[in-house]
Amino acid sequence: MENNIPRILIEITARRAIRELKRTPRRGIRNMVDLALNFCRGRFQRAFFESAQRMLQNEQSAYYELVYDLVNRVDTDRLLTFGMNLGYNSCTSGAKTIRALEASEGYNIPWLASVILSGDQYLEREDDYCSLIDQGRKLGIYSWQLFSRGNASELLALPRKYPDCAFALFCAPEEWDETLTEEAAALYNLLPVVRHEDGVEEVCRRMRDRGLFYAVYVPYGPEELADVQSGELFACTEPLGAAFTMLMPKEGCPEETRREVYDATVRARQGQRYRTIPWDIMGDSCMVDSIISEDECLAVFASSGDLILPEGAETGESLNLFRMPLTEILRAAYPKEKA
């Protein structure tokens, strides 16, 4: 996919637009969004850039400052590599494959897949995890979230092996030491994501000093709901310089809380008050998936290899990536409803 002609042309144009953006930030951002609307063909991209176009009519938008900071602080090649892998490989070319296969095969395919694992588990079952991504790419899945449970350095083998995919690596601050940060800095298709807890300030400072494109994430339950709804949480993460503030439900978080957090996250994003983009990992991922292929579908694999099914869903069998092909797992877990 790296030699794809449409991708190359879009990347050349985007590079020129970033140069203009550095010279005239506000006009450059608006011109870049207008240009993107002329290029984009996918459902999600058009919806995204139309929304961005409306939002940037607000001259007081904090996103002007955020984008200006990113393009002047982060290496252009880093922004382009991750952006093209996510925006073109995943949400354009990959989305086209997903829609075609869903129509012909009769089951839903997620645009994004998540895996919970440790570096030791990866080393023990490297072939299985590589096979998962190989299978996913054939289905059109080019976006991956890796939730580390220790020894995260070994997990960097995946973004190294698959440079056409976009990876996000979620780790606690203690894992993001000097060594891991330095290794991550060499991977332009990787978004480091730091858990918001003690030590996050130092990690974000280190990433900022290295010119990284990074995010923070906040696990939430009912006790965090008020801070999300008031915006206090985003005001707290804003000084960290993270492009995104991601929210992830804690285990056992009630469905009602999830809905309220998602609604509050969308309001905060549309309000454009904070120099960080609020993003609900579950809710917004489902939103993107519903735009790409109409039906919502998420795939999260536990450290055991089992697919974590939505609450209330039953298939009558354990769907495990170590024992079943990905196509069989998705076919069993996410069949399309017959008209």
Side-chain angles (χ1 to χ4, degrees):
M1 188 170 286
E2 289 182 341
N3 295 321
N4 184 290
I5 298 301
R7 175 186 163 123
I8 293 172
L9 293 175
I10 293 172
E11 190 168 335
I12 291 171
T13 305
R15 192 178 295 275
R16 291 174 181 166
I18 289 176
R19 286 200 297 267
E20 179 190 354
L21 198 156
K22 291 181 179 181
R23 291 194 299 268
T24 56
R26 289 180 176 267
R27 186 179 67 187
I29 293 172
R30 289 193 291 264
N31 288 347
M32 193 171 188
V33 171
D34 293 342
L35 185 64
L37 274 170
N38 290 330
F39 270 103
C40 65
R41 295 293 180 268
R43 298 176 186 174
F44 171 69
Q45 298 92 323
R46 178 153 292 277
F48 173 83
F49 286 114
E50 285 176 348
S51 175
Q53 194 176 53
R54 290 191 298 271
M55 293 174 76
L56 291 175
Q57 292 173 5
N58 175 8
E59 291 293 331
Q60 304 305 313
S61 174
Y63 295 159
Y64 281 113
E65 296 177 46
L66 172 63
V67 174
Y68 181 72
D69 177 65
L70 288 174
V71 299
N72 283 281
R73 177 178 60 79
V74 181
D75 182 87
T76 297
D77 288 335
R78 188 183 302 279
L79 289 173
L80 282 175
T81 298
F82 190 85
M84 292 299 295
N85 284 4
L86 181 65
Y88 184 83
N89 293 2
S90 182
C91 293
T92 302
S93 180
K96 183 178 179 180
T97 300
I98 287 172
R99 286 193 294 271
L101 287 173
E102 286 187 349
S104 64
E105 300 300 320
Y107 62 88
N108 290 308
I109 300 170
W111 75 279
L112 168 73
S114 303
V115 187
I116 302 169
L117 75 167
S118 68
D120 295 334
Q121 288 173 310
Y122 172 76
L123 291 175
E124 291 172 5
R125 312 207 68 145
E126 182 175 14
D127 290 345
D128 291 313
Y129 287 112
C130 289
S131 175
L132 174 67
I133 294 180
D134 285 331
Q135 294 175 72
R137 288 164 74 244
K138 291 178 181 177
L139 297 175
I141 305 171
Y142 283 85
S143 293
W144 299 86
Q145 294 183 147
L146 308 176
F147 292 88
S148 172
R149 292 298 180 264
N151 197 11
S153 180
E154 299 298 342
L155 303 182
L156 298 182
L158 289 171
R160 289 192 194 102
K161 185 176 178 64
Y162 299 98
D164 59 348
C165 290
F167 289 88
L169 177 60
F170 294 72
C171 297
E174 61 264 25
E175 282 207 80
W176 285 113
D177 57 16
E178 290 277 358
T179 301
L180 182 62
T181 303
E182 197 64 36
E183 291 175 336
L187 297 168
Y188 286 14
N189 62 331
L190 177 71
L191 176 70
V193 190
V194 190
R195 190 162 67 213
H196 190 260
E197 60 184 28
D198 289 346
V200 65
E201 294 89 352
E202 173 60 25
V203 173
C204 289
R205 183 200 60 75
R206 189 185 306 132
M207 290 183 175
R208 185 176 180 83
D209 289 347
R210 283 172 170 75
L212 296 188
F213 179 56
Y214 61 92
V216 297
Y217 77 102
V218 182
Y220 71 83
E223 58 274 22
E224 283 79 29
L225 177 59
D227 285 342
V228 177
Q229 291 178 322
S230 69
E232 182 63 27
L233 186 146
F234 304 114
C236 182
T237 61
E238 183 181 41
L240 298 172
F244 297 90
T245 295
M246 300 181 171
L247 303 179
M248 183 173 68
K250 297 175 182 176
E251 186 174 353
C253 179
E255 183 62 31
E256 179 61 27
T257 299
R258 296 188 186 198
R259 286 195 296 268
E260 291 183 280
V261 165
Y262 178 61
D263 290 343
T265 300
V266 172
R267 288 196 300 273
R269 186 164 62 239
Q270 293 174 341
Q272 308 171 66
R273 291 177 53 196
Y274 310 102
R275 293 187 312 276
T276 183
I277 299 174
W279 184 263
D280 186 290
I281 291 176
M282 303 294 286
D284 282 314
S285 295
C286 284
M287 177 271 294
V288 173
D289 202 79
S290 67
I291 294 173
I292 285 176
S293 61
E294 297 181 355
D295 296 324
E296 295 181 2
C297 178
L298 285 179
V300 181
F301 290 95
S303 56
S304 63
D306 287 339
L307 178 71
I308 300 176
L309 292 167
E311 187 174 347
E314 295 184 8
T315 65
E317 58 183 320
S318 175
L319 306 178
N320 190 286
L321 70 89
F322 303 136
R323 297 193 297 271
M324 299 174 65
L326 181 57
T327 52
E328 291 185 19
I329 292 174
L330 298 178
R331 192 186 302 276
Y334 306 116
K336 279 192 171 294
E337 295 184 6
K338 295 182 179 180

